[in-house]
């Protein structure tokens, strides 16, 4: 970068940063709207590496520009390294839980059919807190809408995989009265009141006898149930064209399912796939929910960052992070810091590593100048574990394979893993929290992950905890 070799460049950069901090004032107004963005698996390494895709390590993702940042501790009641279900319960419902459980407290163990049904052990998300005071609510994701993170908005269940009735039946039998996650979205106490819902996962909503890819076995078509609820003012869409052309003023609720399973990775899409981007869904969500004079709460997830990491698809994971950043930039453009609190965070990190002394401007997906003892190239990005191990280590010869012969520039390139696992694992370190808008200064420091919804509730006077409107 021009000027980086001078003292003045860095001194002036620091002066500008300090002046910016000195000129900022705390916004202690009541937050009319709350938007929570969740980058699933977006640990600090992912954030730093993704900035290179913007043109260099000195660049900033949209949320890096937020005025206040903090760190949240992600461990669960039973695990040092958590999953996306128990973390969703923490950052949405304000209570830490056990691995694999959603919307229940820490007394419910993973897969406990009996305890999971005990409503005394249920905990409710900030979406319900918002519904209780007349605000609009929504959830948007690039994964199945019944996946662990979005389910935290509306579901109460002891096993994150019970996305349809057949999964429940296999685990607990058919006589327990357990409502699966898809059913809870359409008919549950919170799910049935959500105003704007978008993602993938159509297969979990329709019986296999009614739809070729359906997974249900109870004869239900939950999509049709949604269409027929609340008269004729519910809009259901399955393509980008349908979403973008719809006049949302004519509808009370909007539901979009764009794939039978997860939505396609951004790098898998083109003009023929007819799938909206996360940014497009975000813009439509804010446009729709802004009709309510009381305000809104919405949860928006860049969920496929996580799924790409699990397969050691570093190229895809970082691209998904950039797409996530675009959605956040759109939200800031469409809202005002004066009355809208935006919080961006992750549920957990991943085992990805970013090292090896690469030179400035080096391709983040390329090799480093580090010179390993085996004299074979060494990549800037690698993972502690995952399914790529066999591609990069010759077990019979007990030696590494030259990674530059395996990584070719393809979007599905798997990056090196040190230990063989079917799926790469999460990481357990703290994750970043980035905030702007009313009371965003609360989100500084290091705190438990479950504090996040309580701070959002404080800023917007939601829930039964402390609230800015009653603090005196």
């Amino acid at each position: 970068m021009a000027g980086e070799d001078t003292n003045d460049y860095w001194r002036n950069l620091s002066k500008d940063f300090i002046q910016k901090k000195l000129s900022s004032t705390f916004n202690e107004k009541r937050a009319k709207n709350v938007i929570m963005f969740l980058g699933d698996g977006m640990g600090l390494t992912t954030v730093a590496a993704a900035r290179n895709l913007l043109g260099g390590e000195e660049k900033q993702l949209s949320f890096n520009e937020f005025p206040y940042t903090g760190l949240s501790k992600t461990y669960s009641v039973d695990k040092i390294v958590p999953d996306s279900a128990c973390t969703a319960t923490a950052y949405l419902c304000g209570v830490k839980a056990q691995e694999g459980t959603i919307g229940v407290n820490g007394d419910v163990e993973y897969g406990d059919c009996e305890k999971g049904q005990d409503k005394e052990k249920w905990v409710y998300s900030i979406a319900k807190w918002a519904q209780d005071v007349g605000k609009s609510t929504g959830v948007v994701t690039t994964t199945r809408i019944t996946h662990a993170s979005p389910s935290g908005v509306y579901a109460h269940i002891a096993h994150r995989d019970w996305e349809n009735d057949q999964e429940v039946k296999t685990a607990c039998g058919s006589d327990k009265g357990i409502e699966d996650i898809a059913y809870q979205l359409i008919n549950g106490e919170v799910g049935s009141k959500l105003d704007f819902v978008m993602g993938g996962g159509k297969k979990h909503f329709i019986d296999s006898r009614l739809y070729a890819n359906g997974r249900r076995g109870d004869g239900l078509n939950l999509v049709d149930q949604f269409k027929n609820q609340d008269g004729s003012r519910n809009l259901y869409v399955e393509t980008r064209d349908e979403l973008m052309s719809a006049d949302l003023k004519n509808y009370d609720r909007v539901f979009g399912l764009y794939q039978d399973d997860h939505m396609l990775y951004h790098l898998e899409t083109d003009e023929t796939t007819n799938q909206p981007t996360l940014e497009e869904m975000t813009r439509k969500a804010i446009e729709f929910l802004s009709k309510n004079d009381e305000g809104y709460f919405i949860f928006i997830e860049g969920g496929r960052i996580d799924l790409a990491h699990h397969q050691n698809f570093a190229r895809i994971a970082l691209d998904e992070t950039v797409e996530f950043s675009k959605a956040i930039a759109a939200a800031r453009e469409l809202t005002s810091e004066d009355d809208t609190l935006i919080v961006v965070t992750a549920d957990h990190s991943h085992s990805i590593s970013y090292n090896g002394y690469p030179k400035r401007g080096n391709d983040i997906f390329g090799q480093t100048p580090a010179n390993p003892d085996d004299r074979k190239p060494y990549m800037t990005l690698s993972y502690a574990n995952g399914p790529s191990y066999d591609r990069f280590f010759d077990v019979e010869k007990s030696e590494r394979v030259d990674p530059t012969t395996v990584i070719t520039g393809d979007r599905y390139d798997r990056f090196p893993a040190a230990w063989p696992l079917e799926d790469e694992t999460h990481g357990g370190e703290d994750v970043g929290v980035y905030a702007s808008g009313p009371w965003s200064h609360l989100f500084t420091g290091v705190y438990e992950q479950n504090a996040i919804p309580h701070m959002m509730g404080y800023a917007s006077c939601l829930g039964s905890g402390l609230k800015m409107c009653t603090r005196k």
Side-chain angles (χ1 to χ4, degrees):
M1 295 288 291
E4 285 189 348
D5 57 348
T6 68
N7 293 352
D8 285 347
Y9 177 90
W10 298 106
R11 287 170 176 166
N12 291 335
L13 203 65
S14 300
K15 288 176 184 176
D16 291 344
F17 181 77
I18 293 171
Q19 289 291 348
K20 185 177 179 181
K21 288 295 183 183
L22 291 173
S23 65
S24 65
T25 57
F26 291 165
N27 179 349
E28 297 187 346
K29 298 179 181 179
R30 179 175 180 172
K32 176 183 177 182
N33 312 308
V34 177
I35 305 174
M36 182 176 187
F37 281 95
L38 192 283
D40 199 311
M42 191 186 69
L44 296 177
T45 302
T46 298
V47 172
R51 288 196 289 251
N52 286 266
L53 272 63
L54 303 179
E57 41 285 325
E58 72 282 352
K59 301 295 184 180
Q60 295 277 62
L61 294 164
S62 61
F63 52 91
N64 292 151
E65 303 282 1
F66 281 18
Y68 299 102
T69 59
L71 293 169
S72 81
K73 296 185 283 184
T74 65
Y75 68 90
S76 68
V77 167
D78 61 331
K79 292 293 180 72
I80 296 174
V81 180
D83 80 318
S84 294
C86 59
T87 50
T89 305
Y91 62 70
L92 284 167
C93 304
V95 173
K96 288 207 174 191
Q98 294 199 41
E99 179 191 31
T101 65
I102 299 169
V104 294
N105 69 23
D107 190 42
V108 179
E109 296 180 357
Y110 190 34
D112 189 324
C113 302
E114 303 298 333
K115 279 189 177 180
Q117 282 292 90
D118 184 352
K119 293 187 178 182
E120 293 295 317
K121 303 183 187 303
W122 287 10
V123 290
Y124 289 88
S125 79
I126 188 173
K128 184 179 188 303
W129 309 351
Q131 290 174 353
D132 288 344
V133 297
K135 292 183 182 291
S136 294
T137 53
V139 54
V140 172
T141 182
T142 52
T143 68
R144 296 189 300 269
I145 194 64
T146 51
H147 208 231
S149 302
S151 298
V153 173
Y154 60 86
H156 310 278
I157 204 149
H159 199 302
R160 56 178 288 172
D161 292 341
W162 295 348
E163 297 179 60
N164 62 63
D165 67 297
Q166 290 293 81
E167 299 288 349
V168 174
K169 182 179 179 180
T170 299
C172 300
S174 57
D175 59 346
K176 292 292 192 300
I178 298 173
E179 296 177 348
D180 60 85
I181 295 173
Y183 187 90
Q184 289 188 49
L185 175 58
I186 302 302
N187 298 294
E189 182 179 1
V190 178
S192 64
K193 296 176 184 175
L194 291 170
D195 301 281
F196 194 95
V197 177
M198 289 199 170
K202 180 180 176 182
K203 65 184 181 182
H204 292 304
F205 290 84
I206 306 176
D207 188 282
S208 59
R209 292 162 291 184
L210 303 174
Y211 178 60
N213 295 327
R215 294 289 182 85
R216 303 192 68 82
D218 54 7
L220 295 179
N221 184 329
L222 296 176
V223 170
D224 282 350
Q225 281 193 16
F226 172 82
K227 292 178 183 178
N228 295 324
Q229 287 173 345
D230 308 317
S232 60
R233 290 181 59 84
N234 281 0
L235 172 65
Y236 174 71
V237 295
E238 289 191 347
T239 67
R240 177 187 183 276
D241 290 346
E242 291 174 348
L243 173 65
M244 303 307 285
S245 64
D247 186 350
L248 300 185
K249 295 191 300 292
N250 297 328
Y251 300 96
D252 293 331
R253 300 175 68 206
V254 180
F255 184 27
L257 293 175
Y258 300 104
Q259 300 291 341
D260 288 332
D261 205 311
H262 300 301
M263 292 179 66
L264 300 175
Y265 289 119
H266 171 251
L267 287 178
E268 294 177 324
T269 62
D270 56 32
E271 64 276 2
T272 68
T273 51
N274 211 358
Q275 174 183 283
T277 65
L278 184 61
E279 178 186 349
E280 289 170 336
M281 292 190 291
T282 296
R283 287 182 177 277
K284 285 294 185 180
I286 293 173
E287 172 193 340
F288 181 76
L289 297 175
S290 295
K291 296 187 301 182
N292 189 342
D293 292 337
E294 296 299 317
Y296 57 83
F297 167 81
I298 186 166
F299 174 79
I300 302 173
E301 182 195 25
R304 301 222 68 189
I305 301 168
D306 170 80
L307 296 173
H309 276 320
H310 278 306
Q311 294 302 307
N312 299 143
F313 291 154
R315 202 179 298 275
I316 294 177
L318 299 192
D319 179 76
E320 291 292 312
T321 304
V322 171
E323 289 300 301
F324 180 63
S325 175
K326 291 177 183 177
I328 296 162
R332 286 201 96 185
E333 172 196 326
L334 295 172
T335 61
S336 169
E337 283 190 75
D338 193 56
D339 68 357
T340 301
L341 171 63
I342 302 179
V343 177
V344 180
T345 188
D347 46 357
H348 52 72
S349 68
H350 273 270
S351 74
I352 188 170
S353 181
Y354 173 25
N355 56 53
Y357 308 112
K359 294 183 181 298
R360 286 288 297 277
N362 189 62
D363 179 4
I364 190 68
F365 303 116
Q367 67 185 82
T368 78
N371 191 18
D373 292 344
D374 61 5
R375 305 302 181 192
K376 292 178 181 177
Y378 169 37
M379 307 306 290
T380 301
L381 298 177
S382 62
Y383 291 86
N385 55 65
S388 71
Y389 172 84
D390 292 339
R391 299 183 181 208
F392 294 94
F393 191 81
D394 188 325
V395 177
E396 292 184 0
K397 295 181 180 179
S398 296
E399 63 181 29
R400 281 197 313 128
V401 174
D402 180 345
T404 62
T405 66
V406 181
I407 296 173
T408 63
D410 186 80
R411 61 189 173 187
Y412 299 115
D413 275 339
R414 295 185 194 268
F415 279 70
W419 300 100
L421 281 178
E422 182 178 355
D423 288 303
E424 176 266 357
T425 70
H426 297 166
E429 67 269 27
D430 299 351
V431 296
V433 185
Y434 314 82
S436 72
W439 294 95
S440 53
H441 54 283
L442 292 180
F443 292 85
T444 57
V446 181
Y447 39 83
E448 299 290 354
Q449 191 172 49
N450 68 286
I452 292 173
H454 295 293
M455 290 190 282
M456 292 190 294
Y458 180 89
S460 52
C461 295
L462 302 177
S464 58
L466 296 177
K467 304 173 189 176
M468 61 80 54
C469 50
T470 58
R471 68 187 189 280
K472 295 179 181 179

